[in-house]
Amino acid sequence: MGAAGFVLAINIFVAGLFAAAFGAVAWRYSSAIGARWLSLAYALGILNSILEYILPGQDDPRLLGITVFAVALSAFLVCVVGLARHYAVAVPWISLALLGGGSLLANTILINEPATATLGRAMIYQLPYFFAHILAAIVVFRAPRRGALDVLLIVFLLVSGLQFIAKPYLAMGLGDASLKNYMHSLYGAWSQMLTAFLLVSNGVLMLLINVREVMAEITLRSETDKLSGLLNRRGFEERAERALQNATRARIPSALVLADLDHFKDVNDTFGHDAGDRVIAAFAGLLVNSADARMVLGRHGGEEFAILLPGANLASGRLYAEGVRQAFAALSGSDLGANRPLSASFGVTQMQAGDSLHDLVHRADAALYAAKKAGRDRVHAVSIEPVDTADPRLSGQAGS
């Protein structure tokens, strides 16, 4: 076995590890759709390497040579699909079909001419691999959000693609690279070493990116209240703390709203917990529909909810709470299985210099208690600074 054969054996082993790793991620987490395709891509890589082992020993290597090319290109194209599925962008099916079909047809037509016979012939053989990597880089670039790992993956995909442009020149420069002598040639050794390096680099990056998303999903699940779909208490406090720190650095105001469903125990006792769950879910839906992307919404426990409004002052917080209060009161309780009027009480406060989240919650809770004590179904705000109550939208049920 020559140097190329030894490295090829290592590549089989590495491809097997990545196929198993991506397969394990896909099996454990059903949402990791991209990992299924990436596992298949590396499985095809194993098959390609095995066929490359067999190829030099064939008396007539033409048909097997085309098969090796088709399997290798399929692995790269499947990888593009996997990345598109992972990043939730459109799969470039037409480009993949044209690239796969066109390059397979071209190499089949030139089957009688060895892939390394001339520079032009070698380019026709290697260019499809290059374009497959360009497609993969474009897919990652089109991702809605890109972090450092994603940018690094784009760089390595481009470098991987460029090595296929370099291979024809490498084959011409290093002498005999025919199929018969490939395993013992200097070109074969360099080619397989380049493949091994980029195989590991790209594989590790794609695996890290998949694991990153899985961990983010696990974290989100641990911080989410299943019934309401909002953050649970722990998730709310962690997100709200970060949002308050950002608001403080940006020197923008923040308001906190605490809400409590009125007479919720009576709803559960009279109409059952299923009706109570529907009321909770309906109220949470109103909070979400009235919120913007900056707000942090959580179910603080039971029938109590907390909403942090970064960039909002006390008046804005009251407007938000009043809008939700009116929308909730307008819901038909009978449609939710609770044949009675629905209402909620709200406490609102604004962040002051030196405030912590605990300080905000304490003041908003006091305001909520005041709203309950004043008769429920109202918004009560508390602030160190005076608040303009001239806005007619703050009149009626809203207290101050």
Side-chain angles (χ1 to χ4, degrees):
M1 180 189 297
F6 178 74
V7 180
L8 187 59
I10 294 175
N11 288 346
I12 294 175
F13 177 72
V14 171
L17 287 178
F18 282 119
F22 284 114
V25 171
W27 177 78
R28 180 66 180 82
Y29 302 99
S30 58
S31 61
I33 300 174
R36 304 175 194 174
W37 291 89
L38 293 173
S39 179
L40 174 60
Y42 275 97
L44 288 171
I46 297 172
L47 176 59
N48 173 73
S49 297
I50 292 173
L51 293 177
E52 283 193 3
Y53 254 125
I54 300 172
L55 188 59
Q58 302 297 302
D59 293 330
D60 184 357
R62 291 177 299 174
L63 181 59
L64 187 56
I66 289 295
T67 304
V68 168
F69 171 80
V71 171
L73 183 58
S74 296
F76 292 133
L77 298 183
V78 168
C79 184
V80 175
V81 177
L83 289 172
R85 293 300 192 197
H86 173 80
Y87 287 104
V89 300
V91 179
W93 292 114
I94 295 177
S95 298
L96 294 176
L98 290 175
L99 178 59
S103 57
L104 186 59
L105 178 62
N107 279 279
T108 301
I109 292 173
L110 298 172
I111 193 171
N112 291 315
E113 187 176 353
T116 57
T118 65
L119 183 62
R121 175 68 182 96
M123 278 295 183
I124 291 174
Y125 189 87
Q126 299 289 351
L127 275 176
Y129 301 145
F130 166 75
F131 287 120
H133 281 76
I134 295 301
L135 280 176
I138 291 172
V139 163
V140 181
F141 182 78
R142 290 170 54 202
R145 290 191 300 260
R146 294 187 303 274
L149 284 177
D150 308 297
V151 173
L152 192 58
L153 178 59
I154 292 174
V155 172
F156 271 88
L157 286 171
L158 293 175
V159 171
S160 297
L162 289 173
Q163 62 122 356
F164 291 106
I165 297 292
K167 277 188 175 183
Y169 296 99
L170 193 63
M172 297 298 105
L174 295 179
D176 187 10
S178 64
L179 290 176
K180 290 291 183 182
N181 297 312
Y182 177 78
M183 291 297 181
H184 302 279
S185 68
L186 187 57
Y187 165 74
W190 276 103
S191 177
Q192 288 301 322
M193 281 190 290
L194 275 173
T195 300
F197 171 74
L198 294 169
L199 177 75
V200 172
S201 301
N202 292 337
V204 168
L205 282 171
M206 289 188 292
L207 188 59
L208 285 175
I209 288 169
N210 272 265
V211 171
R212 178 192 65 186
E213 301 304 322
V214 167
M215 294 304 296
E217 180 182 343
I218 292 172
T219 301
L220 181 62
R221 287 180 181 178
S222 70
E223 294 180 343
T224 302
D225 173 64
K226 291 183 179 179
L227 175 59
S228 66
L230 306 180
L231 294 168
N232 57 27
R233 189 182 190 117
R234 170 192 164 192
F236 173 81
E237 289 178 351
E238 290 184 356
R239 303 285 181 89
E241 289 280 9
R242 291 199 294 269
L244 284 176
Q245 291 172 3
N246 292 335
T248 300
R249 283 195 292 267
R251 297 184 179 180
I252 60 174
S254 291
L256 179 71
V257 176
L258 288 186
D260 188 88
L261 306 189
D262 298 330
H263 305 295
F264 185 73
K265 185 177 183 301
D266 292 343
V267 172
N268 273 336
D269 292 345
T270 305
F271 303 102
H273 287 282
D274 286 344
D277 289 350
R278 286 192 288 272
V279 171
I280 289 284
F283 185 77
L286 293 176
L287 293 178
V288 173
N289 292 337
S290 303
D292 63 38
R294 295 176 302 171
M295 294 185 187
V296 183
L297 294 82
R299 185 181 177 194
H300 226 222
E303 65 272 25
E304 187 172 296
F305 298 80
I307 308 96
L308 181 71
L309 295 79
N313 57 21
L314 190 66
S316 300
R318 290 179 64 181
L319 283 174
Y320 172 79
E322 183 62 26
V324 175
R325 185 195 70 78
Q326 293 179 13
F328 187 58
L331 288 180
S332 171
S334 58
D335 291 343
L336 301 173
N339 192 19
R340 61 168 296 161
L342 301 175
S343 68
S345 301
F346 299 79
V348 186
T349 191
Q350 180 178 334
M351 181 174 66
Q352 305 294 334
D355 271 349
S356 66
L357 179 61
H358 174 77
D359 297 325
L360 282 174
V361 171
H362 179 74
R363 284 206 307 276
D365 192 52
L368 175 60
Y369 177 78
K372 290 281 191 181
K373 190 175 180 180
R376 296 183 172 85
D377 190 21
R378 65 193 62 231
V379 178
H380 191 93
V382 59
S383 174
I384 297 174
E385 299 175 357
V387 179
D388 181 11
T389 58
D391 193 321
R393 289 173 293 179
L394 299 179
S395 60
Q397 299 281 356
S400 59

